[in-house]
């Protein structure tokens, strides 16, 4: 078994899937103009991908057990490559949202199945280093996605943000097909009610968050209906999961405290990372007036730093208490978002680079101990389900947080716009404002409104970063819930696998 080539195939597949969470973000303004979408509608390009992933991820463990890890992984990589090309060919908003949703469906099992394969082919003493390599794709890809997306958008077209997956997908399929041994399937009953209730609940919640700003939240009957559907569906899923003979997620996972804590930290981690990945490109282009390439270049050092940090984390994982590493990583997140909360319209790009470097340092430290800690005491037979559950929590956390913070940004911008405009009286207009912003002329009034809007948006983004600072700070004490594992799962180690 050639672990190196198998790992390369896994890294390529993970890189494609992870990069697509951010590579399109930098091109959103261009996509919006190309397909004539409103600011509220264009976020569907992001959230449709997350919703589809969140709905499909819970069945990843069952699919891997039913068909085997290798067939499932090959199908996901092939499907992701094809749907990426379809996204690039989309001619309007409905097509792009539909193709992004299909892309999310096939991408959902990709990461947990790939992670399961990685854990199964590596013994415990190699797990930290293997996880670090895998993390270089899973974490660094979203960081450098804006750089690649910005260059492709400015030099070619936003469509190449999706076409770029084609060569990586073909190479990954070839490596996995020829070098990954087949694992025997272990079919089990499918939990129809659990899957349906969870899928309905997640979809209704995401629609509520996406549509809330447009429909004025609970003044709308639609929002009330979506809230009621989400609450009922989640309640049914919770009760069913504790009473069913074969629930969607095995109940044995709930008996492992470290797995539970790792999943919880994963939700915080995705909230902090995905939200910042979504907000920063929009702020740099929409408020500061940077080009897509310039915004991508300013985000590049974060990814480069993570590459360096991950080289060391694979070795430190077994030498330093993982709880200490998690606390240190979260502290860097607090420092990063505190720096972002001090952004202003007169700053230069160096402050953005410094803040994202702090965040990159925290991400590089956090991901490996979070990943290994959650699987140390999980039996190999449950690893695919554990990976699926972890990915589900992270994707739902990321999806919901992006939608919530987008809604907060829109709402706070409107509030601050009204507040700032109220202070522009005749005395201010005559004695303070330059002639080009004079409300006495049509051109001046338009320019003045644009400047007020820009100021209001900057305040809204700063408020978002303040909230992220608080979330990161409050998550640090939760490290105390983690227990140092006294022993590994008794059957830890590579799973028996059959020859190709």
């Amino acid at each position: 078994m050639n672990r190196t080539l198998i790992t390369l195939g896994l890294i390529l597949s993970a890189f494609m899937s992870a990069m697509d969470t951010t590579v399109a973000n930098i091109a959103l303004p261009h996509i919006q103009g190309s397909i004539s979408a409103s600011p509220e509608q264009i976020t569907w390009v992001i959230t449709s991908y997350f919703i589809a992933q969140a709905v499909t991820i819970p069945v990843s463990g069952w699919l891997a057990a039913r068909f085997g890890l290798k067939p499932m992984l090959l199908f996901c990589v092939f499907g992701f490559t094809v749907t990426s090309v379809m996204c690039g060919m989309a001619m309007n908003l409905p097509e792009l949202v539909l193709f992004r949703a299909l892309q999310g469906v096939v991408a959902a099992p990709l990461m947990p199945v790939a992670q399961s394969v990685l854990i199964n082919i590596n013994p415990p003493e190699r797990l930290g280093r293997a996880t670090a390599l895998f993390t270089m794709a899973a974490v660094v890809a979203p960081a450098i996605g804006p750089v690649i997306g910005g260059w492709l958008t400015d030099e070619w077209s936003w469509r190449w943000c999706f076409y770029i997956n084609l060569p990586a997908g073909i190479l990954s399929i070839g490596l996995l097909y020829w070098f990954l041994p087949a694992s025997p399937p272990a079919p089990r009953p499918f939990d129809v009610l659990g899957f349906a209730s969870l899928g309905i609940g997640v979809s209704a919640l995401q629609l509520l968050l996406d549509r809330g700003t447009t429909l004025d939240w609970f003044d709308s009957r639609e929002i009330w209906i979506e809230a009621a559907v989400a609450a009922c569906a989640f309640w049914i899923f919770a009760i069913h999961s504790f009473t069913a003979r074969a629930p969607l997620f095995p109940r044995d996972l709930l008996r492992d405290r470290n797995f539970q804590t790792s999943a919880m930290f994963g939700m915080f981690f995705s909230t902090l990372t995905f939200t910042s990945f979504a907000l920063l490109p929009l702020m740099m282009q929409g408020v500061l007036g940077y080009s897509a390439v310039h915004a991508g270049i300013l985000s590049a050092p974060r990814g480069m730093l993570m590459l360096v940090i991950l080289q060391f984390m694979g070795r430190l994982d077994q030498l330093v208490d993982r709880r200490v590493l998690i606390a240190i990583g979260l502290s860097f997140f607090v420092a990063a978002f505190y720096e972002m909360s001090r952004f202003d319209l007169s700053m230069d790009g160096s402050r953005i680079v410094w803040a994202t470097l702090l965040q990159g340092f925290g991400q590089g430290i956090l991901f490996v101990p979070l990943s290994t800690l959650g699987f140390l005491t999980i039996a190999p037979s449950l690893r695919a389900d554990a990976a699926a559950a972890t990915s589900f929590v992270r994707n739902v956390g990321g999806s919901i947080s992006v939608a919530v913070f987008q809604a907060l940004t829109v709402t706070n911008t409107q509030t601050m716009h009204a507040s700032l405009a109220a202070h522009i009286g005749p005395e201010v207009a005559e004695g303070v404002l330059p002639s080009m912003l004079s409300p006495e002329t049509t051109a001046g009034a338009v320019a003045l409104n644009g400047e007020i809007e820009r100021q209001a948006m900057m305040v809204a983004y700063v408020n978002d970063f303040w909230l992220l600072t608080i979330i990161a700070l409050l998550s640090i004490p939760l490290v105390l819930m983690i227990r140092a594992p006294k022993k590994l799962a008794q059957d830890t180690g590579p799973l028996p696998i059959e020859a190709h």
Side-chain angles (χ1 to χ4, degrees), residues 9 40 115 119 124 176 200 218 224 239 257 264 305 348 370 454 457 473 478-479:
E40 292 79 15
Q115 188 176 9
I119 295 170
L176 295 174
I200 292 172
F218 288 96
W224 276 105
I239 298 300
R257 179 169 174 175
M264 179 181 61
L305 178 61
D348 57 25
L370 277 180
R454 197 169 73 100
M457 289 179 65
L473 185 62
L478 298 178
V479 174

Side-chain angles (χ1 to χ4, degrees), residues 232-256:
C232 292
F234 285 132
W235 176 251
I236 292 172
F237 174 77
I239 298 300
H240 176 74
S241 296
F242 283 105
T243 57
R245 290 185 178 181
L248 191 62
F249 295 115
R251 281 190 290 271
D252 288 343
L253 296 177
L254 298 177
R255 300 187 181 101
D256 191 297

Side-chain angles (χ1 to χ4, degrees), residues 131-367:
T131 302
L133 288 173
F134 188 76
T135 303
M136 288 170 63
V139 177
V140 174
I144 66 174
V147 182
I148 297 174
W151 181 80
L152 290 172
T153 300
D154 280 357
E155 297 297 324
W156 298 84
S157 164
W158 63 266
R159 300 180 186 279
W160 283 94
C161 294
F162 300 105
Y163 293 152
I164 194 176
N165 290 327
L166 185 59
I170 293 174
L171 181 56
S172 177
I173 291 171
L175 291 172
L176 295 174
Y177 179 79
W178 289 109
F179 297 103
L180 177 63
S183 58
R188 66 173 191 247
F190 180 61
D191 184 9
V192 177
L193 180 58
F195 172 68
S197 58
L198 185 60
I200 292 172
V202 170
S203 301
L205 178 60
Q206 191 67 57
L207 284 173
L208 182 155
L209 295 171
D210 286 342
R211 301 273 291 164
T213 303
T214 304
L215 300 178
D216 201 18
W217 296 103
F218 288 96
D219 287 337
S220 166
R221 179 179 298 179
E222 177 187 326
I223 297 299
W224 276 105
I225 293 174
E226 290 163 353
V229 170
C232 292
F234 285 132
W235 176 251
I236 292 172
F237 174 77
I239 298 300
H240 176 74
S241 296
F242 283 105
T243 57
R245 290 185 178 181
L248 191 62
F249 295 115
R251 281 190 290 271
D252 288 343
L253 296 177
L254 298 177
R255 300 187 181 101
D256 191 297
R257 179 169 174 175
N258 276 2
F259 172 77
Q260 296 176 32
T261 308
S262 176
M264 179 181 61
F265 272 110
M267 182 179 67
F268 284 111
F269 181 81
S270 62
T271 296
L272 298 173
T273 53
F274 283 117
T275 302
S276 62
F277 286 157
L279 293 179
L280 278 174
L282 293 175
M283 184 201 73
M284 286 189 281
Q285 294 181 76
V287 179
L288 300 178
Y290 295 164
S291 67
V293 169
H294 192 185
I297 290 173
L298 292 178
S299 302
R302 170 174 49 193
M304 298 302 102
L305 178 61
M306 280 192 287
L307 281 173
V308 176
I309 298 300
L310 287 170
Q311 297 298 320
F312 296 97
M313 291 309 303
R315 294 171 173 79
L316 288 177
D317 187 56
Q318 291 192 356
L319 300 177
V320 181
D321 191 327
R322 294 179 176 90
R323 295 170 295 182
V324 175
L325 294 176
I326 292 173
I328 293 173
L330 289 172
S331 298
F332 274 98
F333 268 92
V334 173
F337 288 119
Y338 174 73
E339 286 297 320
M340 294 180 193
S341 70
R342 299 169 61 227
F343 283 171
D344 58 67
L345 293 173
S346 62
M347 68 179 181
D348 57 25
S350 62
R351 290 183 58 184
I352 298 176
V353 172
W354 171 242
T356 55
L357 282 175
L358 290 173
Q359 184 183 356
F361 207 101
Q363 283 180 254
I365 293 174
L366 268 176
F367 203 92

Side-chain angles (χ1 to χ4, degrees), residues 376-396:
L376 282 175
T377 51
I378 294 293
S381 58
L382 295 175
R383 284 173 181 165
D385 292 289
T390 303
S391 295
F392 172 76
V393 170
R394 287 177 177 172
N395 277 270
V396 169

Side-chain angles (χ1 to χ4, degrees), residues 442-463:
T442 302
V446 171
L448 177 60
N449 184 69
E451 180 59 25
I452 293 174
E453 181 73 10
R454 197 169 73 100
Q455 296 276 356
M457 289 179 65
M458 192 70 223
V459 173
Y461 282 118
V462 166
N463 289 340

